[in-house]
Amino acid sequence: MHDSKEPRPHTGRRRNEAARLAILDAALELLADADGAPVSVETIARAAGVGKQTLYRWWPSKGAVLLDALTDRAAQDVPAPDTGSLREDLRQLAVATFEAAQRRPSAPALRTLVREAARDAHLAELLRVFTESRRAAVRVVLERGRERGELAADRDVDLLVDQFYGFFWYRFLLGHAPLDRSAADRLTESLLR
Amino acid sequence: MHDSKEPRPHTGRRRNEAARLAILDAALELLADADGAPVSVETIARAAGVGKQTLYRWWPSKGAVLLDALTDRAAQDVPAPDTGSLREDLRQLAVATFEAAQRRPSAPALRTLVREAARDAHLAELLRVFTESRRAAVRVVLERGRERGELAADRDVDLLVDQFYGFFWYRFLLGHAPLDRSAADRLTESLLR
DNA sequence: GAATTACCGAGACTGGTGGTCTCGTCAAGC
DNA sequence: GCTTGACGAGACCACCAGTCTCGGTAATTC
């Protein structure tokens, strides 16, 4: 009986790292340029100078490639501020989140990705996991503030988290109003009033 | 020369009203049952016992049919409360909005419609117009409250409107937390605190 | 009642999509 | 040099929005 963890050493040609990078670069580029319009697998493969099969050999679906392109190549750092002041922590989170939502190429790429996720249940689930860590960061800040007594005991943390991200996604996806520093300040103020 | 406004009286076979209703009924039904999954024109036409051309004769696109199905057959009444109290007006709006978001078949149909709109720019624009009146209702309530002095002068009405609907759509589309009466109460309280 | 007009259901067709399959080729290890 | 498995290329399938054409049919006019 073989060792189940390493039944056999790898033989044959190895994965082409250059192709992997070319695919992710092309995907991010197209995702950003599309800004909402759909991005086809054909187009990604062609732009990367790669066969479609190479793409499907390493990713299970188009959505997985797109998400990977966004997270690997344009991963925004999630700040976890801990200044000792709830108001300041939350303000920093809002500013960082809103600023990330202006940056190219990740911002238009994320917008496209969310639109793709509306039709792709698999991608929607991946995206849900991706965003969960951001939600957790806001929750941590709020609960630390509550322990310090900066948040009234009757305030609902889940409600505040959803107000924070609901507002953000609403403006980010509709684009009808700015997500600038002023908006971040006023949102923070409104939530903690 | 003929009258340019009415160049010729209508002759020939008239539009089949039964077919129109069958299409809208079928579309709403499918929209509600899909609950997120895409709805194809083929399927609608087949379910309505109608040729595809009949559908495209009267509507410019699939999205137009879907939106028509939702607005014509499941139009929710937009309440315009004016109780004299900002807190009570806003609470009533929230309760009515959240309750409408639980009702079948319009709620799952709306969810599907929004997902379709993510890929259909034409439908997205129609939907934007459709939702604008709801936003206006919230804005009116807030500004009436401000005139009565129930809203501090430094509060940003646009921010509050986006907080209201951002929260709503976020929970409605993600479905991770309830949109019940308690949530409506707590949101109102949080916004006016 | 005959001619005209325009809607009807049905379904073929186009162009584009995500995803699968197969081909001959090429690189890595034995 | 042989085996293994990744590679680019592209044929292929199923599905979809939207167009086009067909023979049939209902409403109106003469």
Side-chain angles (χ1 to χ4, degrees), chain B residues 8 127 146:
Chain B
R8 193 167 50 69
L127 205 54
R146 193 212 288 283

Side-chain angles (χ1 to χ4, degrees), chain A residues 94-116:
Chain A
V95 167
T97 304
F98 291 10
E99 271 181 359
Q102 316 275 6
R103 261 200 293 278
R104 282 193 53 84
S106 47
L110 181 57
R111 228 184 307 263
T112 311
L113 199 65
V114 172
R115 278 158 161 73
E116 296 269 351

Side-chain angles (χ1 to χ4, degrees), chain A residues 156 162-163 170-171 186 190, chain B residues 156 162-163 171 186 190:
Chain A
D156 180 339
D162 287 352
Q163 276 192 80
Y170 190 65
R171 286 212 171 172
R186 281 178 288 171
S190 180
Chain B
D156 180 339
D162 287 352
Q163 276 192 81
R171 284 211 173 173
R186 280 178 290 171
S190 179

Side-chain angles (χ1 to χ4, degrees), chain B:
Chain B
M1 203 190 272
H2 296 91
D3 180 357
S4 63
K5 286 176 179 174
E6 187 66 43
R8 193 167 50 69
H10 183 282
T11 59
R13 186 175 181 174
R14 302 305 178 79
R15 178 174 189 176
N16 185 350
E17 179 67 9
R20 192 189 132 253
L21 296 179
I23 289 169
L24 293 180
D25 282 343
L28 184 59
E29 182 85 17
L30 291 168
L31 221 37
D33 287 349
D35 196 20
V39 176
S40 81
V41 176
E42 279 281 342
T43 314
I44 298 173
R46 195 168 296 277
V50 143
K52 272 170 69 175
Q53 192 54 259
T54 300
L55 214 145
Y56 281 105
R57 204 190 317 276
W58 302 107
W59 288 275
S61 68
K62 186 181 75 161
V65 180
L66 297 182
L67 185 65
D68 212 12
L70 189 68
T71 54
D72 257 44
R73 318 292 292 167
Q76 300 112 343
D77 25 334
V78 190
D82 189 4
T83 62
S85 154
L86 170 58
R87 178 169 262 99
E88 182 56 22
D89 282 359
L90 196 61
R91 203 187 65 79
Q92 284 188 17
L93 270 176
V95 167
T97 303
F98 290 11
E99 271 181 359
Q102 316 276 6
R103 263 200 292 277
R104 281 193 53 85
S106 46
L110 181 57
R111 228 183 308 262
T112 310
L113 200 65
V114 172
R115 277 159 161 73
E116 296 269 351
R119 291 271 212 136
D120 179 344
H122 182 217
L123 177 55
E125 175 59 19
L126 294 175
L127 205 54
R128 205 193 55 75
V129 171
F130 172 72
T131 55
E132 189 51 46
S133 63
R134 322 276 165 130
R135 287 178 53 85
V138 173
R139 186 176 284 108
V140 163
V141 159
L142 287 170
E143 278 170 355
R144 222 167 22 218
R146 193 212 288 283
E147 281 163 20
R148 283 193 303 258
E150 294 180 79
L151 198 62
D154 66 328
R155 299 303 297 269
D156 180 339
V157 169
D158 286 333
L159 188 89
L160 288 170
V161 172
D162 287 352
Q163 276 192 81
F164 183 93
Y165 272 110
F167 176 86
F168 166 71
W169 284 108
Y170 192 66
R171 284 211 173 173
F172 178 65
L173 291 175
L174 265 58
H176 63 293
L179 278 174
D180 52 15
R181 186 170 295 259
S182 158
D185 287 343
R186 280 178 290 171
L187 177 62
T188 306
E189 199 56 38
S190 179
L191 290 178
L192 296 185
R193 187 173 275 259

Side-chain angles (χ1 to χ4, degrees), chain A residues 79-83 86-97 188:
Chain A
D82 189 4
T83 62
L86 169 58
R87 178 169 262 99
E88 183 54 23
D89 283 359
L90 196 60
R91 203 187 65 79
Q92 284 188 17
L93 270 177
V95 167
T97 304
T188 306

Side-chain angles (χ1 to χ4, degrees), chain A residues 18-96:
Chain A
R20 192 189 132 254
L21 295 178
I23 289 169
L24 293 180
D25 282 342
L28 184 58
E29 182 86 16
L30 292 167
L31 220 38
D33 288 348
D35 196 21
V39 175
S40 81
V41 177
E42 279 281 341
T43 315
I44 297 173
R46 195 168 298 275
V50 143
K52 275 171 67 175
Q53 190 55 260
T54 299
L55 214 146
Y56 281 107
R57 203 190 319 276
W58 301 108
W59 289 275
S61 68
K62 185 181 74 159
V65 180
L66 298 182
L67 185 65
D68 213 11
L70 190 68
T71 53
D72 257 44
R73 317 292 291 168
Q76 300 111 344
D77 25 335
V78 191
D82 189 4
T83 62
S85 153
L86 169 58
R87 178 169 262 99
E88 183 54 23
D89 283 359
L90 196 60
R91 203 187 65 79
Q92 284 188 17
L93 270 177
V95 167

